[in-house]
Amino acid sequence: MDTDSDRDLLSDLPQSIIESILVKVPLVDAVRTSILSRKWRYKWAAITELVFNDTCRTSGHDKSIISCNLVNFITRCLFLHDGPIHKFELNTSYSPASPDLDQWLLFLSRKDIKELIIDIGEDDWFRAPSCVFFCPKLTHLVLVRCELNPPPNFKGFLCLKHLSLQQVIIPPHDIEVLISSCPLLESLTLSYFDSLELTIRAPNLKYLNLEGEFKDIRLENTPHLIGISVAMYMTDDIAEHFEQCSGCNFDKFLGGVPCLERLIGHIYFTKYLSIGNEQGNFPVTYQNLKFIELYQVSFEDMKELLVVLRLIVSSPNLEELQISVSIRQNA
């Protein structure tokens, strides 16, 4: 008769509890549990969250060997996996070959993937295969250093709530269509885009984070937006474009966000808002706006000061205002 000390209590736990334990340890350690006993051989293969990073690589100095071993480990894990995969994250400084990555993504598109995060290599780019656009249950998508070309028959990510594109190459029209084809989108991050003129239509959007060289940004049908962070980088071409702009950038960007609670404007943001902004009545009142942080505001530019004044006057319940001043050196 087995005594209490002989019983394997951990192995007798329900699979759901074992999975909740395994997803909290590095994946390479979860896979190693397969050597514990016959019962444990494939318990790791049912976990629904797979996170691959540099902790999965073997030690050594030959980058090609390390990369090859990592690719083999990922491929083996995927093809031994049994059941749905709700989260797949690949975050590593080693870049797999395109055929390997394409094969993984095709496999994931058939496994009810909900969260997909791809950030590979420090200087390498990859082209997302068309199967990425046919993951109907996707709710969370993060792509870094990637080329995106939505296929003509792409119908949108109907369940997507979080979209983050960083250093992504995509035609301007396609990115607008992509955003507007995500009816449940709540969080949007676009980083390191060049000379982009962008109109965002997202009726359920709550959080917006923009960083890059934007020629123009227009927010349309974003009534639930509550948090905005913008960093705009200036080139000579964009500066010239600003001077030739018609219309009021303040109204185009902040005229349709009545629920705004938090606004952070980094470099050149107030300069951008000042284009076309005139003294007079302020049609929008931001009743919920409690926090404003503005970086590198030029106190020598009256138009930028009018932007700051307009924000303050239009925010009757403002609780915190932070401003850093841009000081221009005299020649």
Side-chain angles (χ1 to χ4, degrees), residues 1-52:
M1 179 182 295
D2 290 340
T3 64
D4 289 343
S5 60
D6 293 330
R7 291 177 60 192
D8 183 358
L9 298 178
L10 189 59
S11 296
D12 292 335
L13 289 173
Q15 175 62 28
S16 60
I17 295 179
I18 292 177
E19 179 183 335
S20 68
I21 295 172
L22 291 178
V23 296
K24 289 179 170 58
V25 301
L27 183 58
V28 66
D29 293 328
V31 173
R32 284 174 181 157
T33 61
S34 62
I35 66 174
L36 293 177
S37 68
R38 184 175 299 176
K39 276 187 175 182
W40 279 87
R41 187 172 183 182
Y42 293 112
K43 285 191 179 293
W44 70 268
I47 61 178
T48 58
E49 299 183 9
L50 300 178
V51 178
F52 299 94

Side-chain angles (χ1 to χ4, degrees), residues 80-282:
L80 287 176
H81 192 275
D82 182 24
I85 300 175
H86 293 159
K87 177 180 179 179
F88 178 88
E89 179 176 348
L90 178 57
N91 191 333
T92 175
S93 55
Y94 297 91
S95 301
S98 293
D100 294 311
L101 186 57
D102 291 353
Q103 187 181 39
W104 301 338
L105 292 173
L106 178 60
F107 180 83
L108 292 168
S109 69
R110 300 167 177 170
K111 300 285 279 186
D112 293 337
I113 188 71
K114 294 181 179 180
E115 294 187 38
L116 180 62
I117 303 170
I118 307 289
D119 183 357
I120 55 175
E122 297 177 353
D123 300 306
D124 297 313
W125 294 63
F126 71 97
R127 182 171 183 173
S130 60
C131 61
V132 169
F133 295 94
F134 299 99
C135 300
K137 296 185 179 181
L138 206 60
T139 63
H140 188 112
L141 178 61
V142 177
L143 298 175
V144 182
R145 289 180 295 277
C146 167
E147 182 178 348
L148 277 179
N149 287 290
N153 56 341
F154 173 59
K155 302 300 183 183
F157 293 117
L158 301 184
C159 297
L160 195 67
K161 293 187 175 183
H162 177 95
L163 176 63
S164 178
L165 303 178
Q166 303 173 41
Q167 292 181 274
V168 169
I169 299 174
I170 180 173
H173 174 71
D174 286 346
I175 191 170
E176 292 186 357
V177 171
L178 174 61
I179 294 169
S180 62
S181 300
C182 304
L184 300 182
L185 191 65
E186 296 180 356
S187 174
L188 174 64
T189 296
L190 302 176
S191 299
Y192 303 106
F193 281 77
D194 296 334
S195 300
L196 184 63
E197 295 186 44
L198 179 66
T199 298
I200 296 175
R201 301 176 181 90
N204 287 296
L205 191 65
K206 294 181 179 179
Y207 304 98
L208 177 64
N209 188 350
L210 301 176
E211 181 178 4
E213 297 173 4
F214 294 96
K215 282 187 174 180
D216 198 13
I217 311 170
R218 182 187 295 269
L219 300 182
E220 294 183 358
N221 193 19
T222 55
H224 299 295
L225 199 55
I226 60 176
I228 296 177
S229 176
V230 182
M232 307 183 73
Y233 304 137
M234 189 74 67
T235 64
D236 291 340
D237 289 342
I238 292 178
E240 183 178 352
H241 177 81
F242 278 3
E243 297 302 325
Q244 297 173 354
C245 281
S246 60
C248 177
N249 285 353
F250 193 110
D251 291 338
K252 287 189 292 184
F253 190 77
L254 294 175
V257 289
C259 296
L260 192 62
E261 298 177 5
R262 185 179 182 89
L263 175 64
I264 300 176
H266 295 271
I267 184 170
Y268 292 118
F269 181 62
T270 52
K271 176 66 175 178
Y272 172 76
L273 292 183
S274 71
I275 304 298
N277 184 50
E278 302 293 343
Q279 289 180 293
N281 295 326
F282 304 147

Side-chain angles (χ1 to χ4, degrees), residues 285-317:
T285 299
Y286 306 102
Q287 296 285 353
N288 301 320
L289 188 54
K290 304 290 182 64
F291 179 90
I292 298 176
E293 186 172 7
L294 303 173
Y295 290 84
Q296 297 195 21
V297 178
S298 174
F299 277 26
E300 298 175 2
D301 188 331
M302 183 56 66
K303 291 183 177 180
E304 289 192 43
L305 291 179
L306 287 175
V307 166
V308 176
L309 178 62
R310 179 172 178 178
L311 284 171
I312 295 173
V313 172
S314 301
S315 309
N317 297 309

